[in-house]
Amino acid sequence: MSARDAILGALPDTDSPAIAAEAAALLVTPERPALTGPTLEAAFLERLAQPAVAASHDRVETLADLPAAIARYLGKQGLPATLCLPPASGLHGCDWTGFVLHEQCAPDEAAALGIARCAVAETGSLIFETAPDAPMLPNFLALHHIVLLRADAIVAHLEDAIRPEPQPRAHYWITGVSGTTDIEGQYVRGAHGPRFLHVILLG
């Protein structure tokens, strides 16, 4: 008997009634995890707070309240009011008095604002799509990644975030801050991206 035959012979019989019944049971209903919390927003915020995502959050009622929320966050972090702001037209209509703003993100950028298209309550993921007014690079360079998210743009499960129409060329998902345990087995945040994630819910 060859080594290949020995390996295949050790595998369970896929034609057995027990395995067929198990496979059929899995197809009865989709395996979508149950969501806790009374609303999708509550479930999403619960996921954000978990150590695996490690994000903070705030809320604003209108876009005009955004600068104050960002100033509040930067102040708590002991950072100056300096921000890499994407060129989205709606953002530049806000009152940024007291801020130093720029669109180009430096490799050592302290804080950058990104705009998420939607978020997933199941995982705490944020979905971004690039566009002329939504560059991708600042979302990965800044130490503090601040994300603006419409509260009504939270969906339940991963597949709910996929749109049927054509997608942008660059379409990416962020679930929490980057991290690694390669350095002496110790968990280090911000190893290959932002070290801090702060979500501001709009509406």
Side-chain angles (χ1 to χ4, degrees):
M1 177 184 294
S2 67
R4 177 180 181 276
D5 292 335
I7 292 173
L8 293 177
L11 295 176
D13 182 7
T14 56
D15 294 328
S16 70
I19 292 180
E22 182 179 347
L26 291 175
L27 296 175
V28 172
T29 56
E31 289 190 275
R32 292 160 65 111
L35 297 173
T36 57
T39 64
L40 289 181
E41 181 180 312
F44 173 70
L45 294 179
E46 181 180 299
R47 181 65 66 176
L48 279 188
Q50 293 186 356
V53 180
S56 57
H57 78 276
D58 198 353
R59 176 187 301 280
V60 294
E61 292 301 322
T62 68
L63 200 57
D65 302 321
L66 179 62
I70 295 178
R72 193 161 53 240
Y73 173 77
L74 295 178
K76 288 180 180 178
Q77 300 297 325
L79 296 172
T82 301
L83 182 69
C84 179
L85 189 73
S89 58
L91 297 178
H92 287 273
C94 297
D95 181 4
W96 296 99
T97 302
F99 277 84
V100 175
L101 303 176
H102 52 277
E103 293 183 2
Q104 299 299 320
C105 192
D108 59 348
E109 194 73 46
L113 177 67
I115 303 175
R117 174 176 67 81
C118 69
V120 182
E122 174 187 351
T123 60
S125 301
L126 295 158
I127 291 85
F128 297 83
E129 295 173 348
T130 55
D133 62 351
M136 176 176 61
L137 194 58
N139 296 308
F140 298 103
L141 282 182
L143 180 66
H144 294 261
H145 189 198
I146 304 171
V147 178
L148 179 64
L149 170 69
R150 292 193 340 268
D152 61 1
I154 301 173
V155 299
H157 298 95
L158 290 170
E159 57 269 33
D160 299 326
I162 301 173
R163 299 189 296 185
E165 62 265 24
Q167 301 293 303
R169 189 180 184 97
H171 179 274
Y172 51 101
W173 304 45
I174 293 176
T175 308
V177 297
S178 66
T180 182
T181 54
D182 292 341
I183 304 171
E184 297 183 355
Q186 299 295 316
Y187 178 63
V188 177
R189 290 171 55 175
H192 47 271
R195 188 178 299 171
F196 303 96
L197 175 62
H198 183 63
V199 178
I200 299 177
L201 291 172
L202 172 62

